[in-house]
Amino acid sequence: MKRRYFLPIYLFGILLLSSCGPSVPETYTESEELPKIYPDVIDVTIPQNIAPLTFMLDEEADGMIARYQAGDVEVVCEDKMQPSMSQWHELTAKVGDINVDVYVKKGDSWTHHKPFAIHVSADSIDSYLSYRLIPSSFVSYEALTISQRCLENYDESVIYDNMLCGFEKEGQCINCHNYQQWNPERMQFHARQHCGGTIIAYDGDIRKINMRNDSILSAGVYPAWHPWLKLIVYSTDKTHQSFHTTDMNKIEVFDLESDIIAYDLDHNEVTNLENDTTEFEVFPAWAPDGKTLYYCSAHFEYQSPNGANASELVNRCEELKYNIYKKSFDPETMQFGPRELVFAADTLDMSAVLPRISPDGRWLVFTMSKFGYFHIWHHDADLWVMDLEKLKVENGKLNEDSCVVARPLDEVNSKDTESYHTWSSNGRWLVVSSRRDDGTFTRPFFAHVDKDGKWSKPFELPQADPEYHRQFLRSFNIPEFMKGPVEIAPQTFADMLKGEGDPVKYVPQLRK
């Protein structure tokens, strides 16, 4: 006999009126069309430990009744599909399909739309996700937070709030939170302008680092923790913005110059790894074996006799085509090898950035757009995937036809922006920042990939109310998986930022 749950159930005084719950209509017309719902959960693959997926009807109607059904468990909801936590746990208790029926009422008639399924995978997802919440405004400093969300329920908390240190004229920007091996006790983030510096927390030790040094281009910007060493590789960037009035890509973020540096946590020392003045290096990323460093670089030579010039770069920004490179690394000697080409996006008249390697070392996922590197503002940006096992190398050099092993990740891409992405610790889930909902705000979407490289349709970060994302007018930037929550209080970070940062020392070579 099926177990049935009805939502909502109302209590009046001490009387439980279970008979007032919704039920599936007895008389209806069948439709071969799938229902129009938001968020789109049709035929998605989800982990067993994800928070309940909710949805609502995305068209004008006089009513909706929806049913989740898995085995002998049945949940029926009215107006919005919002199962409780306990009901959801029963629905996802076994790997398999949750079958979904949607009934739509228009006038006095009900229509039963084509049923669909939600596929429950045995592959779990990391329990937490962190992200920066940022308003869509660029005229003043406003409230920014680095927040964390438990993916197994709807609980969200603040890791750090920029208003704890900055306000109006003393504004503070915060960004680039990052973790060593998904470990929330080993993290870093940057604060810019007021009380600026890099915060590094490592197993209970919290420090503010002043990474500016005359021997490097700038303080560290985009980080990449080594998988086990107390070593972080950064790009250093002199970053500028330009704003467009007619182009659909309203903002262009670009670097006048950029290099790659390495930072030794134990000795508080930095060294240059790549600093060619005709190359713009950015977005370092480690392979999981800790022996290869990936990054992106675009060749650009200024024609102005005065060197780096913002006006010239704005006019020539479409010439910036980033390729993906790698450098070998010996953890014993702390020596890096010369750069090697991995993917020549410029031969396709494209620009490739944000390389991310799967934990098993096989898949390289990156973003592609027509030019530049700040693809989150490019509406044509898509994810691409490369099978590193199939790279062809001859005599130590990449074969020219190696590009055939890279392809657009059409199973995950949408008609709008796909940008910043990261892997889960088990390598079975990818989270990506996407503007697919409205073209304006980025939101996290999760896609499953199996051991054979088969990708599934992504689903949006679940919320208790399916209207949440449409009403919450902030972007979710830099989604990063975590194995648990950051437990350091936001005020502890603020107190550290209000103090002086430890100045770094430049060395020509990392210590062994």
Side-chain angles (χ1 to χ4, degrees):
M1 180 178 180
K2 293 186 185 297
R3 282 170 283 174
R4 304 191 68 182
Y5 300 94
F6 302 112
L7 292 178
I9 297 176
Y10 301 94
L11 282 170
F12 296 94
I14 59 172
L15 180 63
L16 177 64
L17 300 179
S18 59
S19 61
C20 73
S23 59
V24 172
E26 295 182 358
T27 304
Y28 50 81
T29 301
E30 291 284 1
S31 172
E32 290 301 312
E33 295 183 356
L34 288 165
K36 298 177 181 179
I37 59 174
Y38 175 82
D40 181 4
V41 299
I42 297 173
D43 199 35
V44 298
T45 297
I46 63 170
Q48 277 187 299
N49 62 324
I50 197 70
L53 266 63
T54 63
F55 68 82
M56 57 185 282
L57 195 65
D58 200 22
E59 63 174 333
E60 291 292 328
D62 298 305
M64 181 195 82
I65 289 178
R67 176 175 59 192
Y68 280 159
Q69 191 173 8
D72 61 353
V73 179
E74 186 178 79
V75 179
V76 181
C77 300
E78 187 174 21
D79 295 330
K80 295 179 181 180
M81 189 70 209
Q82 294 173 290
S84 70
M85 201 66 67
S86 60
Q87 294 163 355
W88 183 252
H89 288 164
E90 288 207 56
L91 287 166
T92 58
K94 296 180 180 180
V95 173
D97 288 350
I98 299 174
N99 297 306
V100 188
D101 294 279
V102 176
Y103 300 81
V104 177
K105 184 180 182 182
K106 294 184 178 180
D108 295 326
S109 301
W110 286 93
T111 298
H112 176 218
H113 284 270
K114 183 178 180 179
F116 63 89
I118 296 172
H119 312 290
V120 181
S121 169
D123 294 324
S124 63
I125 201 166
D126 294 305
S127 58
Y128 272 78
L129 185 79
S130 59
Y131 37 76
R132 183 174 70 152
L133 294 176
I134 180 171
S136 183
S137 173
F138 310 93
V139 295
S140 65
Y141 283 101
E142 298 185 35
L144 306 177
T145 65
I146 299 174
S147 298
Q148 57 188 355
R149 161 70 187 273
C150 179
L151 295 179
E152 297 177 345
N153 53 47
Y154 306 119
D155 293 344
E156 185 184 62
S157 60
V158 171
I159 295 175
Y160 178 68
D161 186 332
N162 73 322
M163 289 299 182
L164 293 174
C165 278
F167 184 70
E168 294 183 347
K169 291 183 179 179
E170 295 184 335
Q172 184 185 75
C173 178
I174 51 175
N175 54 19
C176 297
H177 54 282
N178 192 256
Y179 309 88
Q180 185 182 47
Q181 293 294 90
W182 308 276
N183 185 346
E185 295 184 0
R186 299 178 179 181
M187 70 168 296
Q188 76 100 71
F189 69 89
H190 300 309
R192 305 295 186 200
Q193 281 74 48
H194 184 61
C195 295
T198 297
I199 290 291
I200 296 180
Y202 196 93
D203 293 350
D205 178 37
I206 308 171
R207 301 167 62 197
K208 178 182 178 181
I209 307 299
N210 176 7
M211 209 170 291
R212 294 187 181 277
N213 186 281
D214 291 341
S215 296
I216 59 177
L217 187 62
S218 72
V221 181
Y222 303 111
W225 283 81
H226 188 272
W228 68 84
L229 295 176
K230 295 177 76 172
L231 177 70
I232 306 177
V233 173
Y234 293 95
S235 65
T236 56
D237 311 65
K238 290 188 176 180
T239 304
H240 286 250
Q241 291 181 332
S242 62
F243 297 84
H244 303 158
T245 56
T246 57
D247 196 299
M248 66 178 298
N249 297 319
K250 296 303 181 185
I251 301 172
E252 190 58 46
V253 180
F254 56 89
D255 292 334
L256 292 181
E257 301 175 80
S258 57
D259 295 331
I260 299 290
I261 65 170
Y263 171 65
D264 181 331
L265 277 69
D266 275 337
H267 301 102
N268 199 31
E269 295 174 343
V270 295
T271 189
N272 281 305
L273 299 181
E274 290 285 332
N275 59 345
D276 187 330
T277 57
T278 64
E279 292 287 330
F280 290 175
E281 302 95 347
V282 73
F283 292 138
W286 286 99
D289 64 3
K291 296 180 180 180
T292 306
L293 177 72
Y294 290 80
Y295 66 96
C296 305
S297 186
H299 185 78
F300 187 87
E301 297 184 26
Y302 285 100
Q303 297 172 356
S304 168
N306 298 322
N309 182 287
S311 296
E312 179 181 347
L313 196 55
V314 168
N315 292 328
R316 296 177 58 196
C317 65
E318 293 189 13
E319 296 178 28
L320 291 170
K321 309 287 185 178
Y322 285 79
N323 295 326
I324 299 176
Y325 295 89
K326 67 179 180 179
K327 294 171 73 70
S328 63
F329 175 69
D330 186 337
E332 297 296 326
T333 64
M334 303 293 282
Q335 294 277 345
F336 287 87
R339 80 171 191 175
E340 303 172 55
L341 180 65
V342 175
F343 182 74
D346 60 353
T347 63
L348 303 177
D349 196 29
M350 299 289 284
S351 183
V353 298
L354 285 168
R356 293 290 185 268
I357 303 87
S358 60
D360 63 4
R362 179 174 180 181
W363 305 105
L364 169 61
V365 176
F366 55 96
T367 66
M368 283 267 275
S369 184
K370 286 296 292 181
F371 66 92
Y373 80 89
F374 220 74
H375 288 0
I376 197 168
W377 287 113
H378 292 181
H379 290 282
D380 69 326
D382 279 332
L383 293 181
W384 279 53
V385 63
M386 173 184 285
D387 187 346
L388 294 177
E389 289 186 356
K390 295 182 179 179
L391 272 180
K392 297 179 182 179
V393 179
E394 296 178 358
N395 300 320
K397 294 184 178 181
L398 195 69
N399 191 292
E400 290 182 357
D401 65 353
S402 289
C403 284
V404 300
V405 303
R407 66 173 181 87
L409 193 48
D410 293 331
E411 304 93 314
V412 179
N413 290 328
S414 69
K415 294 180 180 179
D416 216 299
T417 306
E418 265 67 58
S419 182
Y420 195 98
H421 52 282
T422 47
W423 290 91
S424 64
S425 60
N426 63 5
R428 289 290 170 257
W429 301 93
L430 191 79
V431 60
V432 55
S433 296
S434 178
R435 296 189 193 273
R436 68 186 63 199
D437 279 348
D438 53 29
T440 300
F441 295 95
T442 55
R443 300 182 178 103
F445 283 76
F446 305 87
H448 180 261
V449 58
D450 66 16
K451 61 182 179 61
D452 299 317
K454 181 181 178 181
W455 293 82
S456 298
K457 178 181 174 180
F459 64 94
E460 194 168 11
L461 176 67
Q463 301 289 354
D465 186 341
E467 290 188 277
Y468 181 89
H469 286 298
R470 287 181 170 175
Q471 297 174 349
F472 186 63
L473 304 182
R474 291 196 182 188
S475 285
F476 294 71
N477 288 168
I478 316 180
E480 290 280 353
F481 283 113
M482 309 141 70
K483 292 182 177 179
V486 173
E487 296 183 345
I488 302 168
Q491 190 60 55
T492 300
F493 287 131
D495 292 343
M496 186 64 64
L497 282 167
K498 290 173 183 177
E500 294 296 320
D502 297 336
V504 297
K505 178 184 177 181
Y506 181 81
V507 294
Q509 172 60 45
L510 294 172
R511 300 194 196 192
K512 295 182 182 179

